[in-house]
Amino acid sequence: MYGWTRKKWNKSHTKLIPKKHNGLDLKSPYGAPIYAMYDGNSKLITQYNKKGNVAGAGHYVGITSGINGKTVKVLYFHMQKNNRKSGTVKAGDIIGYQGDSGNLKNGIKQGYAVSHVHVKAQENGANVDPLPYLKTTIDPQTGKVTNPCN
């Protein structure tokens, strides 16, 4: 959940250190389609480390939308490289497929993560909790779905 503290490996991978989570992880099996939540303009992005390897968020899509008078960008991390959609998208369009790119593959391998799409939201450039942008209701204390959408 957004704002929770989670553990992240330090640079030498010898110690887990606390880090504030700036998004929402939604469990999703490898290969599952990922859908746009809103109409907008989609851009393909890949995060690389200093050595030029895919790292962090991995392959992802950012969709910029106008919502309630705000410019909102929703980012969908850890996608497969191929078949991501760029350009104009409509809510409900498939924008790519669940992958294990970035730090997710190693997290799954080491047993501290499961396959998921990390959703991050920004309002006018500032990080915000993405939970209010979902139609599905999730209890922010437990992470349990209380009102699923279809």
Side-chain angles (χ1 to χ4, degrees), residues 74-90:
V74 178
L75 304 147
Y76 306 81
F77 294 175
H78 307 307
M79 297 173 75
Q80 294 178 13
K81 179 180 180 179
N82 298 324
N83 301 315
R84 292 178 292 153
K85 186 170 181 180
S86 65
T88 302
V89 297
K90 296 285 185 191

Side-chain angles (χ1 to χ4, degrees), residues 17-122:
I17 55 174
K19 180 184 178 195
K20 183 178 176 184
H21 194 245
N22 66 357
L24 179 65
D25 291 342
L26 301 172
K27 191 174 178 181
S28 177
Y30 186 90
I34 298 174
Y35 300 91
M37 291 193 292
Y38 295 92
D39 297 351
N41 187 32
S42 175
K43 181 178 178 184
L44 308 183
I45 311 162
T46 300
Q47 184 176 3
Y48 296 97
N49 63 18
K50 291 178 183 177
K51 295 180 181 179
N53 298 318
V54 176
H59 303 295
Y60 62 106
V61 169
I63 300 176
T64 303
S65 307
I67 304 169
N68 298 327
K70 297 177 186 174
T71 299
V72 177
K73 183 184 280 187
V74 178
L75 304 147
Y76 306 81
F77 294 175
H78 307 307
M79 297 173 75
Q80 294 178 13
K81 179 180 180 179
N82 298 324
N83 301 315
R84 292 178 292 153
K85 186 170 181 180
S86 65
T88 302
V89 297
K90 296 285 185 191
D93 284 355
I94 294 174
I95 57 168
Y97 295 87
Q98 181 64 51
D100 60 3
S101 64
N103 59 11
L104 181 57
K105 186 172 194 164
N106 196 40
I108 292 170
K109 182 179 177 182
Q110 293 184 1
Y112 63 85
V114 298
S115 184
H116 67 273
V117 60
H118 175 93
V119 178
K120 182 176 178 179
Q122 298 173 332

